Amino acid sequence: MTDITISKEKIKKEKGIVILSIEEYQRLLKRAVPIYYLKGKEAKELDKLVKKGLKDHAQGKTRKIKSLKELE
């Protein structure tokens, strides 16, 4: 077991501290991301967009960029 020391000043500055197990943190993290379910026309349009994107990528029509400024 490892001891962890945190100064009172750090805790006051950060307005508190929370200690969680990795398992609990991962469970909370998964719940923090919203899940959307599309139906009908919206779902079909998104499916088409994803298929086109995957096809373009497979054909080498895509490129990696580091910033959106590279698109200008």
Side-chain angles (χ1 to χ4, degrees):
M1 187 65 74
T2 304
D3 292 339
I4 299 172
T5 305
I6 303 171
S7 68
K8 289 181 183 179
E9 292 80 22
K10 174 91 171 159
I11 293 172
K12 286 180 184 177
K13 182 181 176 186
E14 299 294 329
K15 298 182 181 175
I17 187 168
V18 176
I19 300 174
L20 298 170
S21 67
I22 296 294
E23 197 173 275
E24 179 70 7
Y25 172 74
Q26 290 173 339
R27 188 181 68 77
L28 290 171
L29 191 60
K30 286 180 184 178
R31 291 181 56 199
V33 178
I35 297 174
Y36 296 98
Y37 295 97
L38 299 178
K39 294 181 181 178
K41 184 178 177 184
E42 290 177 333
K44 288 179 183 178
E45 288 176 2
L46 184 58
D47 284 344
K48 286 180 187 177
L49 183 64
V50 170
K51 284 180 186 177
K52 183 181 181 327
L54 292 172
K55 181 180 176 183
D56 288 348
H57 182 70
Q59 294 175 349
K61 295 181 180 179
T62 59
R63 60 186 172 137
K64 290 184 181 181
I65 61 171
K66 293 182 181 179
S67 168
L68 292 177
K69 287 185 177 184
E70 294 183 36
L71 297 176
E72 294 176 344

